[in-house]
Amino acid sequence: MYTYSQLISRNMISTAILSIIFIVVAFFITSEQVLLQQKKQHDLIKLYLAHSSAENIESLSKKIMQNQRFSFFKVTNAENNIIFESTSKSDIISNLLTPKATTQKISPQGFIVSLQTNASNYAHYLIVVCATMLILSLIFVFIAGKFSINRYKNIISSINKQIKNELTHVLNNTDKTEDEDIFDLPELNAGISEIKNQINSHISDAGALEKEAFIEPLTQLENRSRFVQFFETKSESIDFGVLTITRCSELQTINQIHGYTEGDNYICKVADIMKTASAKFQAAKIFRLNSSDFATVLPNTTLKDAENYAKELTNQFNKYQQSSDLDSVGYTGLVSFKSDNPLGELLALADTGISVAQTQQINSWYSQTDSSILESSSASYGNQNWRQEIDNVIKYNRLTLLIQHIKPTSRNTKTYNEVLARFLNVNDEMLPTASFIAMAEKLDKIVAIDRMIIEKVIAEIKDKNLHDQQFGINVSSRTIHDEQFLIWLERKLLRDPAISKNLIFEITEFGLQQNIKTSKRFIDMIHRAGSRVTVERFGVGLTSFKFFRDLKPDYIKMDSTYTRDIDEDKNNQYFLRLMVDLAHRLSITVLAESVESQEEIFTLEKLFIDGCQGFHIGKPEPL
C-alpha cells in the first residue's frame, strides 16, 4: 500500500507528463491559429490596398495599423521605396508563437506589403489556459490522492477482514460461508491457503511438542511434569480427594530376566488395569511418574471410597499375576489430601504406604493416615515394617534360589549360571525383590543378606552335588567394601576350594568405581581363593581399560542399553566390537545380558561376544 506522500508524488509525475503534452499540443494549435490569422490579415490588406492610389496609401496603412495588431508592417512601391513601416515589441512567448513575416505584391499598383502578426493575445490566452490546467491538475492530484488512500484503506481493511475470518475458521476448526469471501483474487486465495497450511503445520507441531513434553509414549498417560502441574493449578472445584501411588514391583526383575519387551508389556497391562478400575470414579486422572510408579488422583473422593479402588486393583493384579506366572504385580499406597496440602508431603506419605503394603500380602495396598511419621527423625512406619520383614528373612533363612543360564557362543568358551535370589515373608509369599534389596540397602542389612545368599548357594551345591557346574552370585557394592565381610568370605572360600573354583562373584561397574583400592583388594582375595569376578552393567560408567588391567576381572557383562536391539543399532555394534577386541587383549571374557531375539544373538555372535543371557536364551528355573 502507498503512503499519502507516495501517492502525491506518483500522481504529480503523471500530471506533469500530461501537462507537458497538453502545453505542447496547445502551443502548436495556437501557432497554427496565429499563422491562419496572419494569412487572413494578408488577404484583408490586399483587399484594402487594391483600389488605393499612391496618394492615400500611407494614410490607409496607418488606419490598417490602428485596426490590426502587427509585430511588423511595411508597404513599399514598385521602386522599392518605403511608403509605410511600423514595428512593435513582443515578449518571448509571443515571439515563439509569431510566424515569419510574409510578403505579397498588390496589382495593378505594384505595392509590396510585408507583415508579421502580433501574437500577444494568443500568448496571453495560452498562458491563462496552461496555468488554469496546471492549477486544476494540482487540485486533482491532491483530491485523487486522498480518495486513493481512502480506497486503499477500505480495500486493505476488507482483505484483512477476509484473512481474519479465514484464520478464525482455521483456528476454531469451523466452516466458512460463501458471503464471507469479499475478494475472489487468485493471489489472495493462494496466500491465505499457504497461511492456513503453515498454521495447521504449527498447530500440529505444537501438539506434537506438547504430547512429547507431557505424554508418556509407552502407556499414553500424562507424565510427572503434568502431574506436578495438575497439583500446582488444581481447580477450585477440587476441595479434597485421594492420591494413590502404585509401584510395579517386578519391572526390574522382568527386564533382567525376560527382557525389556516383556517389561513394556507388563507396564502397559498395569496401566490398562488402572484405567479400568478408575473409570468408576468421576474426574479420576492417572499419571506415570517414572519407570515403575503410577499416580492416581481421585478428586472429591473420600478415603473409604478410594479403598474400593485399591481393592479392585489388588483383585485385578492377582488375576494378572496368576495368568502371567509373576511373583507379584504391584503395591499401592493411599493418602487423602486437601487443597492446601504440599505435594511433597503427600508423596512421602504415599511412599510410606507402599513400603507398608509390600510387607503384607502380595499386591496389597495400605492407606496411610498417620502424617506424624514424617516428623520422626528415625525410621518411618514403613521402614519399621520392612526392618521386621528383613530380620525375619535373615533369622529364618526365608530364601529360595533360581538360576538363569548364560549360553556360550562357541565350544571353547566356558560360562556359568547366574543365581537369582527370591525372598519370602512369614506366609511364604514372595516379597518384591527390587524393593527388598533397596530397603536392605537403606536399613543397612544388605551385608547380612549377601552373606545369607552366599551360604545358601554353597549349601545347595553341597547338598545337591553340583560340583560340575559354575554359579554366579551378585554382591552389592556396599558389601565388597565391608572389611568384616571380606575376612569372612575369604575364610569361607578357602575352607571349600572345590566349591570356590566354581563360584563367580558379580559386581556392578559403578560399585567397583566407588573405592578402587578396596575393590582391588576384594578381587585379589577372590582370585587367591580360586574364584572369579564378573563386572556387570559394563559401559554405564566412564571406566578406562587401565582400571580393568589393574583389577583384572575375569568377565565383563555388557549393560543392556548396548545389547538391546543390537541388530538394528550400528553405533552400538561399533562400540561393542571395540570393547570385545580390547577385552580379549586383556584375556577378559565378554558376556551380553537381556538378549531377547534370535536376530540379536546372531549379531552378537558376529561381534565375537563370548556368551549371551536373557529371556530368549532361557527363563530362570529352580537351582
Side-chain angles (χ1 to χ4, degrees):
M1 176 179 173
Y2 294 105
T3 62
Y4 185 65
S5 59
Q6 289 174 332
L7 279 172
I8 294 298
S9 300
R10 188 191 69 169
N11 290 344
M12 288 188 70
I13 292 173
S14 301
T15 302
I17 295 173
L18 292 174
S19 298
I20 291 172
I21 295 173
F22 176 83
I23 291 171
V24 170
V25 172
F27 180 84
F28 281 105
I29 292 175
T30 305
S31 298
E32 290 295 324
Q33 290 296 322
V34 173
L35 183 61
L36 183 62
Q37 178 66 22
Q38 182 171 300
K39 185 178 179 182
K40 288 180 179 180
Q41 287 175 335
H42 250 298
D43 294 339
L44 183 61
I45 290 171
K46 181 180 179 181
L47 182 63
Y48 284 162
L49 298 181
H51 303 285
S52 299
S53 61
E55 290 78 16
N56 62 0
I57 190 66
E58 183 177 356
S59 60
L60 185 59
S61 297
K62 289 180 180 180
K63 289 181 180 181
I64 292 173
M65 187 65 185
Q66 291 175 356
N67 295 327
Q68 301 292 330
R69 301 190 63 182
F70 299 105
S71 296
F72 172 74
F73 183 67
K74 184 173 72 170
V75 179
T76 60
N77 56 20
E79 290 79 17
N80 203 24
N81 295 321
I82 298 174
I83 299 173
F84 180 83
E85 183 177 10
S86 176
T87 304
S88 62
K89 295 182 180 180
S90 301
D91 55 31
I92 297 175
I93 297 178
S94 298
N95 290 335
L96 292 174
L97 291 173
T98 301
K100 293 180 181 181
T102 57
T103 301
Q104 189 173 4
K105 186 177 181 180
I106 300 175
S107 298
Q109 292 89 342
F111 299 127
I112 299 174
V113 178
S114 298
L115 64 85
Q116 187 178 31
T117 300
N118 191 328
S120 298
N121 289 336
Y122 290 96
H124 175 72
Y125 294 142
L126 179 62
I127 291 171
V128 170
V129 170
C130 290
T132 303
M133 192 272 178
L134 287 175
I135 293 171
L136 292 176
S137 298
L138 289 175
I139 295 173
F140 171 77
V141 165
F142 287 99
I143 294 176
K146 193 67 178 176
F147 277 106
S148 295
I149 286 291
N150 292 335
R151 181 171 176 270
Y152 284 143
K153 285 182 178 179
N154 292 333
I155 292 174
I156 295 301
S157 177
S158 299
I159 293 175
N160 288 339
K161 183 178 179 181
Q162 184 170 338
I163 294 174
K164 182 179 178 181
N165 291 336
E166 292 278 0
L167 298 183
T168 301
H169 292 307
V170 172
L171 295 175
N172 296 334
N173 196 23
T174 57
D175 296 329
K176 67 176 182 178
T177 58
E178 292 183 0
D179 57 353
E180 290 180 338
D181 284 340
I182 303 171
F183 297 97
D184 187 17
L185 302 176
E187 294 81 1
L188 176 61
N189 294 333
I192 292 175
S193 297
E194 184 177 353
I195 293 173
K196 283 182 181 179
N197 294 334
Q198 291 181 357
I199 289 177
N200 289 330
S201 176
H202 285 308
I203 292 175
S204 177
D205 292 342
L209 287 174
E210 182 177 7
K211 184 175 181 180
E212 184 177 346
F214 295 112
I215 301 298
E216 193 278 315
L218 179 62
T219 61
Q220 295 299 304
L221 293 174
E222 293 177 305
N223 59 16
R224 187 181 187 91
S225 297
R226 184 68 84 182
F227 171 72
V228 174
Q229 187 183 78
F230 174 83
F231 265 90
E232 289 177 348
T233 59
K234 284 197 296 287
S235 172
E236 295 180 357
S237 61
I238 302 177
D239 298 323
F240 64 95
V242 175
L243 169 66
T244 77
I245 303 295
T246 300
R247 183 160 298 157
C248 301
S249 54
E250 295 300 302
L251 178 60
Q252 182 177 345
T253 302
I254 291 174
N255 283 341
Q256 291 179 347
I257 298 175
H258 303 291
Y260 284 91
T261 301
E262 287 298 316
D264 290 346
N265 293 337
Y266 162 65
I267 289 295
C268 291
K269 180 62 178 178
V270 171
D272 291 340
I273 290 174
M274 295 182 68
K275 291 174 185 177
T276 302
S278 64
K280 301 175 183 178
F281 294 84
Q282 187 176 7
K285 293 185 71 66
I286 303 176
F287 306 86
R288 189 181 183 191
L289 303 184
N290 52 46
S291 60
S292 59
D293 287 3
F294 291 89
T296 306
V297 180
L298 305 174
N300 301 323
T301 302
T302 63
L303 194 58
K304 183 176 180 180
D305 291 335
E307 288 175 355
N308 294 327
Y309 166 68
K311 291 176 183 177
E312 179 64 19
L313 284 183
T314 298
N315 293 334
Q316 295 300 321
F317 286 167
N318 289 338
K319 293 178 181 178
Y320 176 45
Q321 177 192 349
Q322 294 173 3
S323 63
S324 302
D325 193 25
L326 298 173
D327 296 334
S328 63
V329 175
Y331 296 85
T332 303
L334 292 79
V335 60
S336 62
F337 67 84
K338 295 182 180 179
S339 58
D340 57 347
N341 287 131
L343 178 58
E345 178 182 313
L346 296 176
L347 291 174
L349 290 170
D351 188 69
T352 304
I354 294 174
S355 297
V356 175
Q358 288 174 332
T359 63
Q360 298 177 351
Q361 297 179 353
I362 294 177
N363 303 322
S364 64
W365 55 272
Y366 183 80
S367 179
Q368 183 57 267
T369 57
D370 184 11
S371 61
S372 63
I373 63 171
L374 296 177
E375 302 172 2
S376 175
S377 59
S378 60
S380 67
Y381 180 37
N383 289 351
Q384 293 171 5
N385 279 40
W386 268 112
R387 189 183 298 276
Q388 293 173 5
E389 288 294 337
I390 293 172
D391 288 342
N392 186 274
V393 167
I394 295 173
K395 182 177 180 180
Y396 296 103
N397 202 25
R398 295 188 177 279
L399 172 70
T400 183
L401 300 178
L402 303 175
I403 60 168
Q404 188 175 25
H405 184 59
I406 300 176
K407 180 183 178 181
T409 56
S410 68
R411 296 180 180 180
N412 298 326
T413 303
K414 292 184 178 181
T415 58
Y416 57 91
N417 301 314
E418 181 180 357
V419 177
L420 306 173
R422 296 292 180 265
F423 308 96
L424 308 175
N425 62 12
V426 292
N427 299 319
D428 286 335
E429 296 173 332
M430 199 79 71
L431 292 167
T433 306
S435 299
F436 185 92
I437 297 297
M439 294 305 297
E441 291 264 10
K442 181 178 179 181
L443 300 174
D444 201 22
K445 299 284 186 180
I446 192 63
V447 176
I449 294 297
D450 283 342
R451 286 183 58 168
M452 180 182 67
I453 294 173
I454 293 171
E455 288 180 336
K456 181 75 169 179
V457 171
I458 293 175
E460 289 283 317
I461 292 174
K462 288 181 179 179
D463 294 343
K464 298 180 179 179
N465 194 25
L466 303 174
H467 297 282
D468 57 338
Q469 299 183 41
Q470 296 181 334
F471 300 94
I473 305 173
N474 289 280
V475 184
S476 72
S477 58
R478 182 181 298 185
T479 299
I480 68 170
H481 299 143
D482 184 274
E483 187 70 25
Q484 296 300 320
F485 173 81
L486 294 181
I487 296 173
W488 171 85
L489 181 59
E490 183 174 16
R491 291 175 180 175
K492 191 79 173 176
L493 296 177
L494 291 175
R495 192 177 300 122
D496 295 301
I499 295 178
S500 300
K501 68 178 183 179
N502 292 326
L503 297 181
I504 296 94
F505 293 90
E506 294 193 1
I507 311 101
T508 63
E509 178 186 12
F510 176 75
L512 289 173
Q513 287 178 313
Q514 288 182 332
N515 190 321
I516 302 297
K517 185 176 180 180
T518 55
S519 296
K520 186 172 181 358
R521 285 180 55 199
F522 172 76
I523 294 176
D524 289 343
M525 181 273 291
I526 293 297
H527 286 161
R528 285 197 306 272
S531 301
R532 281 164 290 174
V533 173
T534 295
V535 180
E536 65 171 347
R537 300 196 65 186
F538 177 76
V540 175
L542 299 175
T543 304
S544 67
F545 266 85
K546 181 180 180 302
F547 168 77
F548 286 104
R549 189 167 59 246
D550 295 338
L551 294 184
K552 300 177 181 177
D554 303 282
Y555 302 88
I556 59 173
K557 186 183 289 186
M558 301 303 300
D559 186 70
S560 59
T561 55
Y562 294 104
T563 59
R564 187 181 185 186
D565 297 325
I566 186 67
D567 54 308
E568 300 176 356
D569 195 326
K570 299 298 182 182
N571 292 329
N572 279 351
Q573 289 178 23
Y574 176 79
F575 175 78
L576 208 56
R577 184 67 188 89
L578 180 62
M579 293 299 102
V580 170
D581 184 59
L582 293 174
H584 286 172
R585 291 175 185 270
L586 298 174
S587 300
I588 298 174
T589 302
V590 184
L591 308 175
E593 64 178 355
S594 301
V595 179
E596 303 178 16
S597 67
Q598 187 60 43
E599 291 78 11
E600 291 177 354
I601 294 176
F602 180 71
T603 303
L604 291 169
E605 288 177 348
K606 289 198 300 181
L607 297 173
F608 300 102
I609 288 287
D610 299 301
C612 298
Q613 179 186 24
F615 180 66
H616 190 76
I617 304 298
K619 298 180 180 180
E621 56 188 29
L623 182 64

